[in-house]
Amino acid sequence: MDPANDRRRRRLLIALIAGGLALLLLVGVGIYGLLRGPATPGHDPASDPAPTSTDSAQSPRGTGPVAVPRTGGPEGFARNVAAALFTWDTASGYGPADYAQVLADVAAHDEADSFVGDVRSYLPSTEAWAQLRQYQTRQWLTIDEVVVPEAWATAVKQAAPGQIPAGATAYTITGTRHRDGTWGTQPVEASRRVSFTVFIVCARPIPGRGGTPGLCEVLRLSELDNPLR
């Protein structure tokens, strides 16, 4: 055997193996990126504290869109909106528009078009959904904290008469967005902290029913990770 030819074959084999490993690494990074979703500029997920709540909206695999309950009073409704906003499953047979529709169904009429635009910014695009479906990706939210931000109280005090609808409230929600899926035969998962503000409006308590809260509707959403404080 020619030693020179033997060395060339070994170098070629090493190059092919190295190239294959690099390709596997890129594919792995790609699916992790899809699962993780867009990162907030300047945000280091490793610095986030661990979740401290068990208020999670995880649904069984393959669950489709579910109507948003209007129960629980203003805060309960805001939690329900948040859960619906972040809960979806690409293996359910439904698409982003279907998950957006259940939120549009509880939108205040005057703000419906603007609110639907807000919702679209939270959901994957049709193209991204098709990619995520290859990995049977699903998402859900664990809520850690729901508060009325100080900035809202200030806005209410400074608003001109009629500028803010009667019964309107803002809730800033902090939690952890989870995603999981399958790459080949291996389960993969990722999570990151999120925060946002839900603006809602609720009718006055129904007379004669012991102060039962009236129905609530959602007005708008803040930009993701840019809530009122």
Side-chain angles (χ1 to χ4, degrees):
M1 181 180 291
D2 185 346
N5 287 337
D6 187 48
R7 286 194 295 270
R8 281 196 295 272
R9 280 195 294 270
R10 281 185 292 181
R11 285 197 296 268
L12 178 60
L13 180 60
I14 291 171
L16 289 173
I17 292 173
L21 290 174
L23 178 61
L24 286 175
L25 179 61
L26 288 173
V27 172
V29 170
I31 177 59
Y32 176 75
L34 283 172
L35 287 175
R36 184 176 181 277
T40 304
H43 175 70
D44 178 11
S47 65
D48 290 330
T52 57
S53 172
T54 57
D55 186 357
S56 176
Q58 183 179 9
S59 300
R61 172 63 71 180
T63 300
V66 177
V68 181
R70 298 194 182 192
T71 56
E75 180 178 329
F77 177 68
R79 288 175 178 267
N80 295 338
V81 169
L85 185 63
F86 281 85
T87 302
W88 47 256
D89 189 344
T90 60
S92 67
Y94 295 89
D98 301 303
Y99 286 93
Q101 184 59 53
V102 296
L103 287 157
D105 290 343
V106 294
H109 178 72
D110 293 344
E111 295 289 345
D113 290 342
S114 298
F115 173 66
V116 170
D118 296 339
V119 171
R120 289 198 189 102
S121 70
Y122 279 72
L123 292 170
S125 66
T126 302
E127 294 76 14
W129 190 270
Q131 288 183 296
L132 291 166
R133 186 186 296 139
Q134 299 177 45
Y135 308 105
Q136 296 186 315
T137 308
R138 65 174 172 171
Q139 176 178 283
W140 68 96
L141 178 70
T142 299
I143 296 175
D144 299 327
E145 186 179 44
V146 180
V147 299
V148 176
E150 293 183 6
W152 175 253
T154 301
V156 170
K157 290 179 181 179
Q158 296 178 351
Q163 188 174 6
I164 295 177
T169 313
Y171 288 97
T172 291
I173 298 174
T174 303
T176 301
R177 190 203 69 184
H178 307 273
R179 285 186 181 180
D180 68 12
T182 304
W183 177 36
T185 59
Q186 298 296 318
V188 288
E189 59 182 28
S191 61
R192 79 173 181 91
R193 299 279 287 178
V194 294
S195 58
F196 54 99
T197 301
V198 178
F199 299 88
I200 67 172
V201 60
C202 298
R204 292 181 178 179
I206 302 172
R209 295 192 182 180
T212 301
L215 290 181
C216 297
E217 296 176 314
V218 59
L219 295 167
R220 297 295 302 270
L221 300 170
S222 74
E223 181 181 12
L224 182 62
D225 294 330
N226 188 24
L228 288 185
R229 300 292 187 184

